[in-house]
Amino acid sequence: MVKQYGFLINTKDCYGCRTCSMACKSENVTPPGVLWRRVREFNHDSPNTQAFITMSCNHCDDPQCLKVCPADTYTKRADGIVVQDHEKCIGCQMCIMACPYHAPVFDPAEGKTSKCNMCAERLDEELLPRCVESCPTGAIEFGEISELRKKHTTNWEVLEKRYKMPDHTISNPNIVIIGMED
């Protein structure tokens, strides 16, 4: 079986501090307004609940960004990480429109898109992605997706219906999301 890395997000442990987002921004020196990892807030009245979910590129089995990019900017590494050759980007934003999670981010100053590469350079040095390393509650885990899925399953039906997450079958994201069940 081919190795495929992924993230596990435990929303029960996330309180929305955005440390992961800022650590990612700092590690990757992204321009002003460009966040590769974003924290979304969900509020519901019935029952009265608040939840946070940290999201970035999900390094999908079927990455839509790779399929639509006219400049062949995206490739998938042997470990499943979807990387972008930023020099090839022509700024058409097709990847943003195609990605169900809107993971690529457009920088209007540069006129190009960019996205999370799962800290591939850090992984190559046997270090954790910066977002995982920085999370004060351990709400983000990293590893082979098959192992993460053995620990927990994602209730996609609840995520898609109640939290308006996209249909996971579009791209088959390599992420496990727990803690947002009814």
Side-chain angles (χ1 to χ4, degrees):
M1 182 175 169
V2 177
K3 183 190 296 187
Q4 172 65 60
Y5 287 132
F7 291 111
L8 183 146
I9 308 299
N10 185 343
T11 63
K12 290 179 183 175
D13 291 341
C14 180
Y15 54 84
C17 72
R18 293 170 174 73
T19 300
C20 57
S21 183
M22 292 302 99
C24 172
K25 184 166 186 54
S26 178
E27 176 71 22
N28 294 289
V29 194
T30 60
V34 174
L35 294 174
W36 291 352
R37 178 166 287 284
R38 296 175 291 253
V39 178
R40 293 176 57 192
E41 181 177 341
F42 297 93
N43 294 292
H44 292 283
D45 291 329
S46 182
N48 189 16
T49 57
Q50 180 182 47
F52 297 94
I53 184 169
T54 177
M55 296 285 291
S56 66
C57 176
N58 295 315
H59 304 277
C60 303
D61 286 341
D62 188 15
Q64 301 301 295
C65 58
L66 188 147
K67 289 170 91 169
V68 303
C69 180
D72 293 323
T73 302
Y74 295 96
T75 56
K76 193 165 171 80
R77 292 180 8 157
D79 54 14
I81 298 173
V82 178
V83 294
Q84 181 203 46
D85 181 342
H86 193 66
E87 296 303 313
K88 288 183 175 181
C89 180
I90 60 174
C92 69
Q93 301 181 58
M94 293 287 292
C95 54
I96 296 171
M97 290 182 273
C99 176
Y101 302 94
H102 305 289
V105 182
F106 184 70
D107 176 10
E110 185 182 24
K112 292 185 175 192
T113 62
S114 59
K115 67 165 209 64
C116 162
N117 66 2
M118 203 179 267
C119 287
E121 302 84 17
R122 290 177 57 83
L123 294 176
D124 292 344
E125 295 176 17
E126 299 185 12
L127 298 169
L128 288 172
R130 186 64 75 185
C131 60
V132 175
E133 185 180 81
S134 70
C135 180
T137 64
I140 310 171
E141 293 181 38
F142 163 82
E144 287 193 41
I145 197 65
S146 59
E147 294 302 311
L148 297 174
R149 287 180 177 146
K150 284 180 188 176
K151 292 170 65 173
H152 297 284
T153 58
T154 299
N155 188 338
W156 288 109
E157 186 177 325
V158 169
L159 288 174
E160 291 165 6
K161 190 174 197 173
R162 185 169 186 201
Y163 295 98
K164 309 293 188 252
M165 296 287 278
D167 178 353
H168 71 286
T169 63
I170 295 169
S171 61
N172 298 307
N174 287 295
I175 188 168
V176 177
I177 302 169
I178 59 172
M180 294 181 89
E181 297 81 16
D182 275 342

Coordinates of all heavy atoms in Angstrom, one line a residue, residues 30 45 84 92 111 141 169:
T30 N 4.2 33.5 4.6 CA 3.2 33.9 3.6 C 2.9 35.4 3.7 O 3.1 36.0 4.7 CB 1.9 33.1 3.8 OG1 1.3 33.4 5.1 CG2 2.1 31.6 3.6
D45 N -27.9 27.5 17.6 CA -28.8 27.8 18.7 C -29.5 26.6 19.3 O -29.9 26.6 20.4 CB -29.9 28.8 18.2 CG -29.3 30.2 17.9 OD1 -28.3 30.6 18.6 OD2 -29.8 30.9 17.0
Q84 N 2.7 22.4 -4.7 CA 2.5 23.4 -5.8 C 3.9 23.9 -6.2 O 4.7 24.3 -5.3 CB 1.6 24.5 -5.3 CG 1.4 25.6 -6.5 CD 1.1 26.9 -6.0 OE1 1.7 27.4 -5.0 NE2 0.1 27.5 -6.6
C92 N -4.6 32.1 -12.3 CA -5.9 32.0 -12.9 C -7.0 31.6 -11.8 O -8.2 31.8 -12.1 CB -5.9 30.9 -14.0 SG -5.7 29.2 -13.5
G111 N -0.4 38.1 -7.5 CA -1.2 37.6 -8.6 C -1.1 36.1 -8.8 O -1.2 35.6 -9.9
E141 N -3.5 16.3 14.9 CA -2.5 15.2 14.8 C -2.1 15.0 13.4 O -2.9 15.3 12.5 CB -3.1 13.9 15.4 CG -3.5 13.9 16.9 CD -4.0 12.7 17.4 OE1 -3.6 11.6 16.9 OE2 -4.9 12.7 18.2
T169 N -16.9 13.0 -1.0 CA -16.6 12.1 -2.1 C -16.1 12.8 -3.4 O -15.7 12.2 -4.3 CB -17.9 11.3 -2.5 OG1 -18.9 12.1 -2.9 CG2 -18.4 10.5 -1.3

